[in-house]
Amino acid sequence: MIAALGPYAGFILLSYGAAILAAVGLTLWVILDHRRLRNTLAALEARGLTRRSARSAARLAPETPLETQA
Amino acid sequence: MSLSDLANPTRFLTLAGRLIPWLAGLTLVLFAVGLTLVARSPADYLQGETVRIMYIHVPSAWLSMLTYTIMAVSALGTLVWRHPLADVAARAAAPIGATFTALALVTGSLWGRPMWGTYWEWDARLTSVLVLFIMYLGLIALWRTIEDPTRGARAAAILILVGSVNLPIIKFSVDWWNTLHQPASVFRLGGPTIDATMLVPLAAMALAFTFLLITLHLAAMRNEILRRRIRALGLTAAGAIR
């Protein structure tokens, strides 16, 4: 099959290899980065740190439906 | 959902979370279709099988410019409309654009060696694309250097807009100067000069690459929003300790 690519098969295969490396590399980068950031954010929130907008939203919204009825 | 709703990062995160799996699946399907068409496409009468490098090189070169165009529009969003997600979009796009530009340069060199007899020539097209790659790296370095995102956003936006002068230079370099690089053969007045048996696989691969860009950009924007939230929480924690 490689021979079917002619005398410059090495150049063609290297080009496609570089493209695969770039696509897989970028995909892994966003996936691993997302996992790391999500874990860090969860750890911070577990320590009781929340964003100002999340705090004000929590203050405005009733915590449980029962509280609303009471 | 209107465009202004997307200015809210929380809403954007929800939408991105829903869209990314579908976009990723569609990208895989498009690549499967594109690569099948490439495998079935004929060899060039002059270049032989080496023409297959075109199906990788041309889409990555287009995306290197499209990504910078996205960054330029985002820079306007930062400076003119002060859109909260504009700098997020620009910053998330830069590493992706840098990778596509590097891929265009590498595959161009690998195509050039058997066709031109050289890996590199300091002609207008090659040099202007190299400048684009250096612009991407410079912008990534700038964002990393300035810790305050607001200051970093404005400085980067100005630099992006200054650098966007390079885009028409890249596009028209083959018309304005004598270069080794061939002139435009797809987007040109008078229509494409490529035969349909090669144009269709090229268009399919370009579409697949474009969807890869959209998917990666959305995912990288989502990461950037999370990174900024973590930074804000870190500052809150530091303030509480003081």
Side-chain angles (χ1 to χ4, degrees):
Chain A
M1 189 186 162
I2 292 174
L5 290 175
Y8 302 115
F11 293 97
I12 301 167
L13 292 174
L14 268 176
S15 296
Y16 279 79
I20 291 167
L21 192 72
V24 172
L26 281 172
T27 308
L28 278 179
W29 166 63
V30 291
I31 291 172
L32 296 177
D33 197 27
H34 182 65
R35 199 171 293 172
R36 187 181 59 83
L37 291 166
R38 215 179 41 194
N39 289 342
T40 310
L41 195 61
L44 285 170
E45 285 173 351
R47 281 168 49 194
L49 291 167
T50 48
R51 288 174 301 118
R52 200 171 42 196
S53 58
R55 281 198 300 273
S56 55
R59 256 200 313 272
L60 287 171
E63 284 193 7
T64 60
L66 278 176
E67 279 182 7
T68 325
Q69 286 164 17
Chain B
M1 185 179 281
S2 69
L3 196 63
S4 59
D5 287 337
L6 291 178
N8 182 322
T10 305
R11 280 193 197 132
F12 178 85
L13 285 180
T14 310
L15 184 72
R18 280 186 203 146
L19 283 177
I20 287 168
W22 289 99
L23 285 169
L26 186 58
T27 303
L28 283 175
V29 171
L30 287 169
F31 267 112
V33 172
L35 288 170
T36 307
L37 290 172
V38 168
R40 288 178 182 176
S41 66
D44 183 64
Y45 79 101
L46 201 61
Q47 300 185 35
E49 298 291 339
T50 319
V51 77
R52 298 195 191 284
I53 298 176
M54 172 182 75
Y55 303 111
I56 296 289
H57 171 72
V58 173
S60 51
W62 281 344
L63 287 200
S64 69
M65 292 174 70
L66 176 64
T67 311
Y68 201 90
T69 308
I70 293 170
M71 287 171 63
V73 173
S74 302
L76 281 178
T78 299
L79 292 174
V80 180
W81 301 292
R82 302 189 180 214
H83 194 287
L85 289 179
D87 182 55
V88 169
R91 196 169 174 164
I96 304 169
T99 308
F100 281 126
T101 312
L103 185 61
L105 288 168
V106 168
T107 54
S109 285
L110 288 168
W111 197 8
R113 182 69 183 90
M115 293 300 106
W116 300 337
T118 179
Y119 283 107
W120 185 261
E121 188 66 38
W122 290 101
D123 80 358
R125 171 59 71 86
L126 276 66
T127 308
S128 54
V129 175
L130 181 66
V131 169
L132 179 69
F133 181 60
I134 293 167
M135 284 294 302
Y136 276 124
L137 296 187
L139 283 160
I140 294 168
L142 180 72
W143 270 305
R144 285 180 177 233
T145 310
I146 303 175
E147 207 177 324
D148 178 11
T150 315
R151 272 186 60 217
R154 282 191 198 160
I158 292 165
L159 190 57
I160 290 168
L161 289 177
V162 171
S164 63
V165 172
N166 194 30
L167 292 179
I169 293 175
I170 294 173
K171 166 74 183 149
F172 296 109
S173 56
V174 286
D175 303 320
W176 293 340
W177 295 285
N178 280 326
T179 70
L180 260 184
H181 199 281
Q182 66 173 68
S185 47
V186 180
F187 297 117
R188 58 186 287 280
L189 291 172
T193 54
I194 302 180
D195 188 73
T197 52
M198 291 176 182
L199 188 62
V200 172
L202 180 61
M205 286 299 282
L207 194 65
F209 267 86
T210 307
F211 270 83
L212 178 66
L213 168 68
I214 294 168
T215 312
L216 289 170
H217 191 216
L218 265 185
M221 280 181 74
R222 181 171 68 173
N223 288 352
E224 185 56 33
I225 291 169
L226 293 182
R227 203 181 329 276
R228 287 176 188 211
R229 285 192 174 175
I230 289 166
R231 185 179 182 275
L233 287 183
L235 289 177
T236 310
I241 291 165
R242 265 186 234 130

